[in-house]
């Protein structure tokens, strides 16, 4: 609501103030400073309070003279950025570091340190172009000693950026730049060796990596890459198509295995180094497997622990080693652990099929059938959804737009692609580069959206009466000045309490003046004096907006529930024929029309909630310091000072007796001192107000410039988006078709497994029947033979031939 308040001395308090929290004075039990107390004590306390206000007024005056120190030093800002990077809040860390490098370009250490951290922040958040720009600026400043500690790291990161962006052409000039750095270091040798390996220059890469010292930060990675080089050198070219590769002799990979074993002997002194060691054991296990040394391969694989990122890959490969060894039980056990420990592994489907095959070979028909049916049920649904997605359009542009949607927008679709399908597509051929472009576009859109929201909030603050909130240093000074004014008002109320104690019979006019003065005291006693009082007001001002935000959060939850219900109903309609539910075409059209209307309403509700959310965010920044309650405080201060002087005038005229007149005579100098302190503080606050207007104008101009820049960035992003739509969409479509083939192959293998299980079961039953028939025939034969023997032994003598 808009509240029109009275006029005070500062212009930022003259305008209407927007506030939603209304102070109910009668419900707040605040002690009255003018309560009955000793007159002499009241006079002394008031004098001390006013003297303290006069002394502290200098701190308010320094605010506009630029003598106030910065709230945070450069070192403290760096510490804040490091903490934000530690919790992976890279956006806020980048904001802190950008302000640091802009504010301290000449700092002896902070600027270089901040620039290095800024590049690392961009790199960790996958903003590779920004990281490249920052690290390149560090590497170019070879003549500045303050950048010397960071050149090695910058060179390594520039190589990492080039490899991730597949810009191998940028590596040669980078190598020249690295070579010009005086005093070659281990990090530089590692960066050059890694880049040469990416270019396929194995010999030069090995020579560069040999220069990495044992005490270097990248010794683990360098030794691992040397093992990879030895592996490539020992690996023969692939055989012609249709021919099986020849078995590898035991000594082929001896050198590579030796180099990888050297990696495993290095200390696991960091998570990255432990990962490299696990990868070395994985490489050893693979090479021993290729050399048919399966027992040694099992020993190498078992050195990888459960906490390793390679644990899932190790289990799958270990199962194949056990298969080669003929240990079906251990192979099944490894695959069972894989299904539980790494359900998101890229090998989980192949592992499940292998597990089913092993069960089938072991005669566990019921278990193998359950595994095959589970695989078929899981991946057949994925295949259907992917086929539906691929069959919806062949336009790469539309396909690119679909992939560029936010994750929540994809989730809302009833036919949304499974996460596993998206991951497999990213891991496919050129998938990393393609999806990196899509991710960059999505990130750019998100950053532009956040920038627009920030601009809206800044405009809301700068256009509000309490725009001083956008200038923390001036706000702190104004807060201090207003607190001192309120403290002087408390001193006046203390003097008024002393006057109440020395009063005799009051005249009618004096009694009316005192009644009017007392009526103002309770509200004026609520004015904030200390920093804790101001903090309490800020918290109280934001509490109602927080309740509004919570209400919007509940509405969003209900909208999400409605969306989930719509998705479920759409899925039920789509799966109805498969579940045996038959509906007429009229019913289907009716249901689809109803769901379409509900989806339209959900979209409308989301837009409304989004608008309310923006209004709430704007409201939050417009309440608090300088809002309606501060205007009321100023009005009550002026009214109370006027009422007290009126009472003093009447008391001096004898309206309250001689004792009161005598006491008032001692009070008047104190009140004049208080008025002088008020005037001094009002002048300081007026200077702050002028500084606020000046700086707010500069901020508005800066916001306008950034608004224009954001618009230009949006237009450039759209141009780049149009250029990438065709190429990126085509490659992504190809990858998803490859995923579809992979899913069909998995489903086909599961069907084959089910068929084989049925065939094996049939063969087992036939074999059993044949075995039973043979046993039955043997039993019948034995019975017949026994019967003949019995009949022969019990022959009739009368039927025997007589003797001659």
């Amino acid at each position: 609501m808009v509240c029109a308040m009275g006029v005070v001395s500062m212009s930022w308090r003259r305008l209407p103030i927007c506030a939603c929290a209304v102070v109910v004075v009668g419900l707040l039990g605040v002690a009255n400073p003018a309560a009955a107390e000793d007159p002499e004590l009241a006079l002394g306390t008031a004098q001390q309070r006013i003297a303290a206000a006069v002394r502290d007024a200098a701190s308010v005056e320094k605010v506009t003279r630029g003598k106030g120190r910065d709230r945070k030093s450069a070192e403290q800002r760096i510490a804040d950025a490091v903490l934000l990077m530690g919790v992976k809040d890279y956006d806020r860390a980048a904001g802190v570091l950008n302000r640091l490098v802009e504010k301290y370009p000449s700092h002896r250490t902070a600027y270089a340190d901040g620039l290095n951290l800024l590049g690392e922040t961009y790199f960790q958040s996958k903003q590779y172009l920004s990281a490249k720009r920052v690290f390149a600026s560090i590497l170019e400043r070879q003549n500045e000693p303050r950048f010397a500690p960071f050149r090695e790291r910058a060179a390594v990161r520039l190589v990492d950026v080039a490899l991730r962006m597949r810009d191998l052409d940028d590596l040669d000039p980078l190598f020249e730049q690295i070579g010009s750095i005086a005093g070659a270091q281990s990090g530089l040798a590692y960066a050059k060796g890694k880049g040469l390996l990416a270019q396929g220059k194995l010999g030069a890469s090995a020579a560069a990596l040999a220069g990495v010292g044992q005490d270097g930060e990248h010794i683990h990675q360098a030794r691992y890459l040397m093992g990879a080089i030895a592996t490539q050198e020992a690996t023969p070219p692939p055989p012609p198509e249709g021919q099986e590769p020849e078995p590898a002799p035991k000594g082929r990979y001896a050198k590579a295995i030796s180099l990888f074993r050297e990696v495993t002997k290095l200390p696991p002194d960091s998570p990255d180094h432990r990962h490299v060691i696990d990868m070395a054991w994985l490489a050893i296990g693979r090479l021993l497997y290729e050399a048919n040394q399966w027992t040694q391969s099992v020993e190498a694989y078992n050195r990888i622990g459960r906490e390793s990122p390679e644990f899932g890959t190790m289990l799958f490969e270990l199962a194949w080693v056990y298969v080669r060894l003929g240990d079906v039980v251990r192979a099944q056990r490894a695959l069972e652990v894989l299904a539980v420990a790494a359900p998101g592994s890229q090998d989980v489907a192949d592992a499940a099929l292998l597990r089913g095959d092993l069960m089938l070979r072991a005669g566990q028909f019921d278990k193998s059938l359950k595994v095959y049916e589970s695989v078929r049920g899981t991946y057949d649904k994925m295949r259907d959804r992917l086929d539906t997605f691929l069959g919806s359009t062949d336009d790469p542009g539309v396909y690119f737009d679909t992939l560029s949607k936010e994750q929540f927008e994809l989730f809302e679709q009833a036919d949304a692609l499974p996460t596993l399908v998206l991951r497999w597509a990213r891991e496919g051929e050129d998938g990393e580069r393609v999806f990196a472009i899509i991710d960059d576009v999505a990130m750019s859109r998100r950053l532009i959206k956040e920038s627009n929201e920030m601009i809206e909030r800044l405009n809301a603050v700068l256009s509000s009466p309490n725009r001083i909130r956008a200038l923390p240093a001036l706000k702190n000074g104004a807060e201090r000045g207003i607190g001192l004014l309120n403290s002087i008002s408390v001193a006046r109320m203390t003097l008024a309490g002393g006057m109440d104690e020395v009063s005799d019979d009051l005249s009618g006019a004096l009694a009316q003046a005192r009644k009017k003065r007392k009526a103002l005291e309770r509200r004026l006693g609520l004015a904030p004096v200390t920093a804790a009082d101001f903090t309490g007001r800020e918290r109280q001002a934001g509490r109602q907006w927080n309740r509004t935000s919570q209400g919007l959060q509940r509405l969003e939850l209900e909208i999400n529930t409605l969306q989930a219900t719509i998705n479920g109903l759409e899925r039920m309609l789509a799966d109805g024929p498969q579940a045996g539910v038959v509906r007429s075409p009229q019913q289907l059209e009716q249901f689809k029309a109803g769901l379409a209307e509900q989806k339209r309403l959900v979209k409308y509700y989301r837009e409304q909630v989004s608008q309310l959310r923006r209004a709430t965010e704007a409201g939050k920044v417009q309440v608090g310091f300088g809002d309606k309650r501060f205007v009321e405080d100023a009005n009550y201060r002026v009214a109370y000072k006027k009422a007290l002087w009126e009472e003093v005038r009447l008391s001096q005229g004898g309206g309250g007796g001689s004792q009161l007149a005598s006491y008032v005579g001692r009070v008047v100098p104190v009140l004049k001192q208080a008025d002088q302190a008020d005037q001094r503080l009002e002048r300081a606050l007026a200077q702050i107000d002028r500084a606020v207007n000046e700086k707010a104008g500069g901020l508005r101009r800066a916001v306008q410039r950034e608004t224009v820049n954001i618009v230009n960035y949006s237009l450039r992003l759209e141009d780049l988006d149009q250029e990438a739509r065709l190429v990126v969409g085509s490659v992504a479509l190809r990858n998803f078709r490859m995923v579809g083939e992979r899913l069909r192959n998995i489903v086909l293998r599961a069907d084959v497994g089910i068929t084989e299980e049925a065939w094996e079961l049939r063969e087992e039953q036939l074999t059993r029947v044949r075995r039973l028939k043979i046993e039955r025939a043997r039993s019948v034969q034995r019975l017949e033979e026994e019967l003949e023997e019995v009949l022969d032994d019990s022959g009739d003598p009368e039927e025997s031939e007589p003797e001659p």
Side-chain angles (χ1 to χ4, degrees):
M1 72 180 169
V2 178
C3 309
M5 303 309 299
V7 177
V8 293
S9 61
M10 290 185 289
S11 63
W12 59 271
R13 292 180 293 169
R14 288 200 295 267
L15 300 177
I17 305 296
C18 177
C20 292
V22 179
V23 178
V24 183
V25 177
L27 298 179
L28 299 178
V30 180
N32 187 354
E37 56 180 300
D38 181 75
E40 296 300 326
L41 179 61
L43 185 60
T45 302
Q47 287 175 332
Q48 293 176 2
R49 185 179 287 273
I50 293 171
V54 171
R55 289 193 303 271
D56 291 343
S59 63
V60 181
E61 295 171 340
K62 289 180 181 179
V63 174
T64 55
R65 293 203 297 264
K67 294 183 179 181
R69 65 179 183 88
D70 192 4
R71 291 188 304 165
K72 287 188 177 181
S73 63
E75 292 75 11
Q76 289 174 326
R77 293 175 185 270
I78 289 178
D80 291 343
V82 171
L83 290 175
L84 291 171
M85 292 174 65
V87 297
K88 301 186 184 305
D89 192 350
Y90 298 117
D91 290 342
R92 292 177 60 191
V96 172
L97 292 170
N98 274 309
R99 288 192 294 271
L100 171 69
V101 297
E102 290 176 3
K103 190 175 182 64
Y104 302 99
S106 302
H107 197 282
R108 185 172 57 88
T109 59
Y111 180 74
D113 196 4
L115 209 59
N116 175 64
L117 291 174
L118 180 60
E120 187 66 23
T121 299
Y122 285 140
F123 181 82
Q124 295 297 337
S125 60
K126 298 182 179 180
Q127 301 182 50
Y128 296 127
L129 290 176
S130 298
K132 180 180 179 181
R133 170 178 52 81
V134 174
F135 285 125
S137 66
I138 294 176
L139 208 58
E140 290 170 356
R141 304 190 181 195
Q142 299 186 17
N143 299 325
E144 298 185 41
R146 57 178 176 171
F147 288 97
F150 308 109
R151 293 194 190 103
E152 178 180 7
R153 183 71 173 179
V156 174
R157 282 306 187 206
L158 285 173
V159 173
D160 291 336
V161 169
L163 295 181
R164 280 164 172 76
M165 298 182 65
R166 305 288 181 89
D167 292 333
L168 301 183
D169 294 337
D170 293 345
L171 290 176
D172 291 332
L174 181 59
F175 294 155
E176 295 179 3
Q177 199 171 10
I178 291 176
S180 64
I181 298 177
Q185 305 174 53
S186 295
L188 301 178
Y190 167 69
K192 187 174 182 179
K194 182 166 59 172
L196 290 171
L197 178 59
Q199 292 179 331
K201 303 174 181 178
L202 301 183
S205 175
L209 292 171
V212 178
Q214 290 291 336
D215 56 347
E217 178 185 358
H218 305 94
I219 181 62
H220 296 69
Q221 294 89 332
R223 294 296 179 265
Y224 179 85
L225 292 180
M226 292 179 70
I229 292 172
T231 302
Q232 293 187 32
E233 291 175 343
T235 302
E241 186 176 356
Q243 295 184 9
E244 293 291 332
E246 296 181 358
K250 290 186 177 181
R252 172 178 293 176
Y253 299 111
K255 180 181 177 181
I257 293 174
S258 176
L259 291 172
F260 284 125
R261 288 194 183 277
E262 291 181 7
V263 177
T264 63
K265 296 176 183 178
L266 297 174
D269 49 3
S270 70
D272 290 339
H273 289 170
R274 285 195 294 271
H275 188 196
V276 174
I277 292 173
D278 291 335
M279 292 175 63
W281 281 119
L282 195 67
I284 293 171
R286 289 170 175 171
L287 295 178
L288 291 172
Y289 175 84
E290 292 294 331
N292 296 332
Q293 302 179 38
W294 299 318
T295 303
Q296 296 88 335
S297 177
V298 169
E299 294 176 357
Y301 280 123
N302 284 329
R303 302 296 295 270
I304 300 175
R306 289 179 175 271
E307 68 282 355
S308 173
E310 307 298 331
F311 184 65
T313 304
M314 180 274 293
L315 287 173
F316 181 67
E317 296 181 5
L318 180 62
W320 275 108
V321 178
Y322 281 131
V323 170
R324 287 297 187 95
L325 288 171
D327 194 343
V328 177
V329 176
R330 290 188 177 181
Q332 291 186 26
R333 189 178 304 164
L335 296 173
E336 289 172 358
V337 175
L338 172 61
V340 176
S345 172
Q346 61 178 353
D347 301 319
V348 65
D350 295 328
L353 291 171
L354 176 59
R355 183 182 170 201
D357 293 340
L358 295 175
M359 290 177 176
L360 184 62
R361 300 298 178 265
Q364 302 173 359
F365 299 117
D366 292 339
K367 292 183 178 180
S368 64
L369 180 61
K370 289 181 181 179
V371 171
Y372 288 134
E373 289 179 344
S374 175
V375 172
R376 185 177 186 275
T378 300
Y379 293 94
D380 196 26
K381 292 180 180 179
M382 292 185 185
R383 181 182 60 83
D384 290 339
R385 291 164 67 178
L386 181 57
D387 288 343
T388 302
F389 178 72
L390 294 174
S392 61
T393 179
D394 289 331
D395 184 1
V398 176
Y399 190 76
F400 177 80
D401 291 337
T402 303
L403 292 181
S404 300
K405 289 182 179 179
E406 297 290 340
Q407 186 64 32
F408 187 75
E409 294 176 338
L410 290 174
F411 174 76
E412 288 180 352
Q413 298 177 359
D415 56 348
L417 293 177
T419 305
L420 184 63
V421 172
L422 293 174
R423 187 167 68 247
W424 282 357
R426 288 177 179 270
E427 296 169 355
E429 185 179 355
D430 294 327
E432 183 179 356
R433 299 184 66 186
V434 170
F435 282 91
I437 296 175
I438 296 176
D439 291 341
D440 290 343
V441 171
M443 179 183 292
S444 299
R445 288 176 175 169
R446 177 179 62 83
L447 293 175
I448 289 176
K449 179 181 178 182
E450 292 177 356
S451 300
N452 286 326
E453 292 175 352
M454 187 180 298
I455 287 173
E456 288 182 4
R457 290 195 293 270
L458 286 173
N459 285 330
V461 172
L462 296 176
S463 61
S464 67
N466 56 345
R467 54 185 173 274
I468 194 174
R469 289 167 56 87
L471 304 166
L474 295 178
K475 173 182 174 293
N476 292 336
E479 184 179 284
R480 181 61 178 161
I482 292 174
L484 293 175
L485 286 175
N486 292 334
S487 179
I488 294 173
S489 297
V490 172
R492 290 192 178 94
M493 288 189 287
T494 303
L495 292 173
M499 292 169 57
D500 292 340
E501 288 300 305
V502 298
S503 300
D504 296 332
D505 295 334
L506 303 179
S507 64
L510 182 57
Q512 290 295 327
R514 178 163 295 184
K515 181 179 179 181
K516 180 179 179 181
R517 185 257 299 171
K518 285 181 174 293
L520 300 172
E521 286 179 349
R522 186 167 183 84
R523 172 59 184 84
L524 189 57
L526 299 175
V529 176
T530 64
D533 297 336
F534 284 95
T535 301
R537 276 207 172 181
E538 293 280 348
R539 190 181 301 111
Q540 186 182 21
R543 190 172 295 131
Q544 185 164 347
W545 286 113
N546 290 337
R547 288 196 293 268
T548 303
S549 297
Q550 293 170 3
L552 290 176
Q553 191 70 27
R554 288 191 292 270
L555 289 176
E556 289 179 347
L557 180 60
E558 293 181 7
I559 292 173
N560 292 339
T561 303
L562 290 174
Q563 184 65 58
T565 303
I566 293 172
N567 293 344
L569 292 174
E570 288 182 338
R571 184 64 54 78
M572 185 178 66
L573 289 177
D575 298 342
Q578 299 178 3
V581 180
V582 180
R583 297 181 179 88
S584 64
Q586 293 79 9
Q587 288 178 323
L588 289 176
E589 290 299 326
Q590 182 179 0
F591 290 150
K592 290 181 180 179
L595 290 175
E597 177 63 17
Q598 294 302 317
K599 291 174 70 174
R600 186 190 66 80
L601 291 175
V602 166
K603 182 179 179 181
Y604 171 76
Y605 295 150
R606 286 196 189 281
E607 293 174 353
Q608 294 297 309
V609 169
S610 178
Q611 293 178 6
L612 291 173
R613 178 71 67 184
R614 289 196 296 270
T616 301
E617 294 298 327
K620 283 182 179 180
V621 299
Q622 295 184 36
V623 298
F625 184 78
D627 61 13
K628 170 189 172 182
R629 293 167 300 172
F630 288 87
V631 177
E632 291 179 347
D633 293 340
N635 292 336
Y636 274 96
R637 284 198 305 268
V638 174
Y640 188 83
K641 181 166 59 173
K642 182 178 179 180
L644 183 59
W645 272 113
E646 178 65 18
E647 184 178 351
V648 167
R649 185 183 65 80
L650 294 174
S651 298
Q652 287 179 323
S658 59
Q659 186 177 1
L660 178 59
S662 175
Y663 183 78
V664 167
R666 300 167 59 193
V667 166
V668 167
V670 180
L671 289 178
K672 289 182 178 179
Q673 185 182 6
D675 290 349
Q676 292 173 359
D678 279 350
Q679 293 174 2
R680 181 179 177 184
L681 289 170
E682 289 290 350
R683 287 194 299 269
L685 291 174
Q687 293 176 356
I688 292 176
D689 181 45
R690 289 191 290 271
V692 168
N693 291 335
E694 179 180 353
K695 292 189 175 183
L699 286 175
R700 276 194 292 267
R701 291 189 292 272
V703 170
Q704 291 174 357
R705 289 195 300 269
E706 292 303 322
T707 303
V708 174
N709 291 335
I710 292 297
V711 173
N712 292 333
Y713 295 154
S714 300
L715 295 176
R716 290 177 59 188
L717 178 62
E718 291 301 323
D719 293 339
L720 294 174
D721 185 52
Q722 294 297 326
E723 294 177 4
R725 283 163 60 90
L726 181 60
V727 177
V728 174
S730 299
V731 176
L733 179 60
R734 182 201 63 189
N735 277 19
F736 273 95
R737 285 175 175 168
M738 293 170 59
V739 173
E741 291 296 328
R742 182 178 179 181
L743 291 174
R744 277 187 286 274
N745 183 41
I746 291 173
V747 173
L748 179 61
R749 290 167 59 189
D751 289 336
V752 171
I754 293 173
T755 304
E756 287 185 354
E757 187 275 338
W759 183 263
E760 292 290 339
L761 183 61
R762 175 181 177 276
E763 289 296 321
E764 185 191 34
Q765 295 294 339
L766 291 175
T767 303
R768 183 180 179 185
V769 169
R770 286 195 295 268
R771 189 182 302 115
L772 290 174
K773 287 182 178 181
I774 294 172
E775 292 294 332
R776 179 181 176 184
R778 290 176 179 176
S779 299
V780 171
Q781 184 178 1
R782 284 197 299 269
L783 289 174
E784 289 178 352
E785 290 176 354
E786 291 176 358
L787 179 61
E788 289 178 359
E789 291 178 1
V790 170
L791 292 177
D792 290 343
D793 293 341
S794 61
D796 191 355
E798 296 180 354
E799 296 179 358
S800 62
E801 296 182 358
E803 295 181 0

